[in-house]
PDB file of all heavy atoms in Angstrom:
ATOM      1  N   ASN A  87      -0.242   9.673  -2.710  1.00  0.00           N
ATOM      2  CA  ASN A  87       1.175   9.584  -2.603  1.00  0.00           C
ATOM      3  C   ASN A  87       1.766  10.369  -3.977  1.00  0.00           C
ATOM      4  O   ASN A  87       2.711  11.110  -3.793  1.00  0.00           O
ATOM      5  CB  ASN A  87       1.644   8.070  -2.802  1.00  0.00           C
ATOM      6  CG  ASN A  87       3.122   7.995  -2.825  1.00  0.00           C
ATOM      7  OD1 ASN A  87       3.788   8.033  -3.799  1.00  0.00           O
ATOM      8  ND2 ASN A  87       3.730   7.674  -1.676  1.00  0.00           N
ATOM      9  N   PHE A  88       1.205  10.174  -5.076  1.00  0.00           N
ATOM     10  CA  PHE A  88       1.588  10.955  -6.324  1.00  0.00           C
ATOM     11  C   PHE A  88       1.559  12.396  -6.062  1.00  0.00           C
ATOM     12  O   PHE A  88       2.564  13.187  -6.374  1.00  0.00           O
ATOM     13  CB  PHE A  88       0.714  10.503  -7.524  1.00  0.00           C
ATOM     14  CG  PHE A  88       0.816  11.206  -8.731  1.00  0.00           C
ATOM     15  CD1 PHE A  88       2.177  11.198  -9.376  1.00  0.00           C
ATOM     16  CD2 PHE A  88      -0.156  11.977  -9.333  1.00  0.00           C
ATOM     17  CE1 PHE A  88       2.372  12.004 -10.473  1.00  0.00           C
ATOM     18  CE2 PHE A  88       0.030  12.826 -10.474  1.00  0.00           C
ATOM     19  CZ  PHE A  88       1.273  12.663 -11.052  1.00  0.00           C
ATOM     20  N   TRP A  89       0.455  12.907  -5.596  1.00  0.00           N
ATOM     21  CA  TRP A  89       0.203  14.346  -5.354  1.00  0.00           C
ATOM     22  C   TRP A  89       1.212  14.930  -4.347  1.00  0.00           C
ATOM     23  O   TRP A  89       1.822  15.961  -4.444  1.00  0.00           O
ATOM     24  CB  TRP A  89      -1.215  14.665  -4.919  1.00  0.00           C
ATOM     25  CG  TRP A  89      -2.215  14.381  -5.900  1.00  0.00           C
ATOM     26  CD1 TRP A  89      -2.069  14.340  -7.320  1.00  0.00           C
ATOM     27  CD2 TRP A  89      -3.601  13.882  -5.648  1.00  0.00           C
ATOM     28  NE1 TRP A  89      -3.269  13.934  -7.855  1.00  0.00           N
ATOM     29  CE2 TRP A  89      -4.177  13.688  -6.977  1.00  0.00           C
ATOM     30  CE3 TRP A  89      -4.291  13.721  -4.578  1.00  0.00           C
ATOM     31  CZ2 TRP A  89      -5.542  13.349  -7.034  1.00  0.00           C
ATOM     32  CZ3 TRP A  89      -5.593  13.318  -4.709  1.00  0.00           C
ATOM     33  CH2 TRP A  89      -6.247  13.141  -5.911  1.00  0.00           C
ATOM     34  N   GLN A  90       1.335  14.018  -3.290  1.00  0.00           N
ATOM     35  CA  GLN A  90       2.297  14.471  -2.095  1.00  0.00           C
ATOM     36  C   GLN A  90       3.746  14.636  -2.664  1.00  0.00           C
ATOM     37  O   GLN A  90       4.437  15.584  -2.449  1.00  0.00           O
ATOM     38  CB  GLN A  90       2.232  13.543  -1.016  1.00  0.00           C
ATOM     39  CG  GLN A  90       2.631  14.129   0.255  1.00  0.00           C
ATOM     40  CD  GLN A  90       2.214  13.252   1.371  1.00  0.00           C
ATOM     41  OE1 GLN A  90       2.628  12.096   1.525  1.00  0.00           O
ATOM     42  NE2 GLN A  90       1.602  13.802   2.442  1.00  0.00           N
ATOM     43  N   ARG A  91       4.191  13.611  -3.541  1.00  0.00           N
ATOM     44  CA  ARG A  91       5.427  13.622  -4.097  1.00  0.00           C
ATOM     45  C   ARG A  91       5.600  14.820  -5.137  1.00  0.00           C
ATOM     46  O   ARG A  91       6.781  15.196  -5.432  1.00  0.00           O
ATOM     47  CB  ARG A  91       5.757  12.406  -4.857  1.00  0.00           C
ATOM     48  CG  ARG A  91       6.109  11.297  -3.848  1.00  0.00           C
ATOM     49  CD  ARG A  91       6.478   9.958  -4.597  1.00  0.00           C
ATOM     50  NE  ARG A  91       5.483   9.329  -5.182  1.00  0.00           N
ATOM     51  CZ  ARG A  91       5.452   9.254  -6.536  1.00  0.00           C
ATOM     52  NH1 ARG A  91       6.440   9.764  -7.380  1.00  0.00           N
ATOM     53  NH2 ARG A  91       4.479   8.662  -7.242  1.00  0.00           N
ATOM     54  N   SER A  92       4.544  15.319  -5.697  1.00  0.00           N
ATOM     55  CA  SER A  92       4.491  16.329  -6.583  1.00  0.00           C
ATOM     56  C   SER A  92       4.435  17.795  -5.888  1.00  0.00           C
ATOM     57  O   SER A  92       4.433  18.803  -6.627  1.00  0.00           O
ATOM     58  CB  SER A  92       3.425  16.247  -7.544  1.00  0.00           C
ATOM     59  OG  SER A  92       3.494  15.040  -8.291  1.00  0.00           O
ATOM     60  N   GLY A  93       4.365  17.765  -4.654  1.00  0.00           N
ATOM     61  CA  GLY A  93       4.298  19.021  -3.821  1.00  0.00           C
ATOM     62  C   GLY A  93       3.031  19.435  -3.351  1.00  0.00           C
ATOM     63  O   GLY A  93       2.823  20.547  -2.698  1.00  0.00           O
ATOM     64  N   ALA A  94       1.950  18.777  -3.469  1.00  0.00           N
ATOM     65  CA  ALA A  94       0.598  19.080  -2.841  1.00  0.00           C
ATOM     66  C   ALA A  94       0.470  18.821  -1.335  1.00  0.00           C
ATOM     67  O   ALA A  94       1.068  17.827  -0.892  1.00  0.00           O
ATOM     68  CB  ALA A  94      -0.530  18.343  -3.622  1.00  0.00           C
ATOM     69  N   ASN A  95      -0.152  19.635  -0.698  1.00  0.00           N
ATOM     70  CA  ASN A  95      -0.621  19.301   0.596  1.00  0.00           C
ATOM     71  C   ASN A  95      -1.826  18.394   0.627  1.00  0.00           C
ATOM     72  O   ASN A  95      -2.753  18.554  -0.037  1.00  0.00           O
ATOM     73  CB  ASN A  95      -1.307  20.600   1.362  1.00  0.00           C
ATOM     74  CG  ASN A  95      -0.215  21.488   1.961  1.00  0.00           C
ATOM     75  OD1 ASN A  95       0.838  20.991   2.361  1.00  0.00           O
ATOM     76  ND2 ASN A  95      -0.543  22.707   1.879  1.00  0.00           N
ATOM     77  N   VAL A  96      -1.524  17.143   1.110  1.00  0.00           N
ATOM     78  CA  VAL A  96      -2.435  15.908   1.026  1.00  0.00           C
ATOM     79  C   VAL A  96      -2.884  15.528   2.349  1.00  0.00           C
ATOM     80  O   VAL A  96      -2.239  15.205   3.164  1.00  0.00           O
ATOM     81  CB  VAL A  96      -1.789  14.793   0.237  1.00  0.00           C
ATOM     82  CG1 VAL A  96      -2.754  13.592   0.144  1.00  0.00           C
ATOM     83  CG2 VAL A  96      -1.397  15.200  -1.087  1.00  0.00           C
TER      84      VAL A  96
END
Side-chain angles (χ1 to χ4, degrees):
N87 178 281
F88 171 66
W89 296 330
Q90 206 168 51
R91 287 184 295 110
S92 298
N95 279 326
V96 176

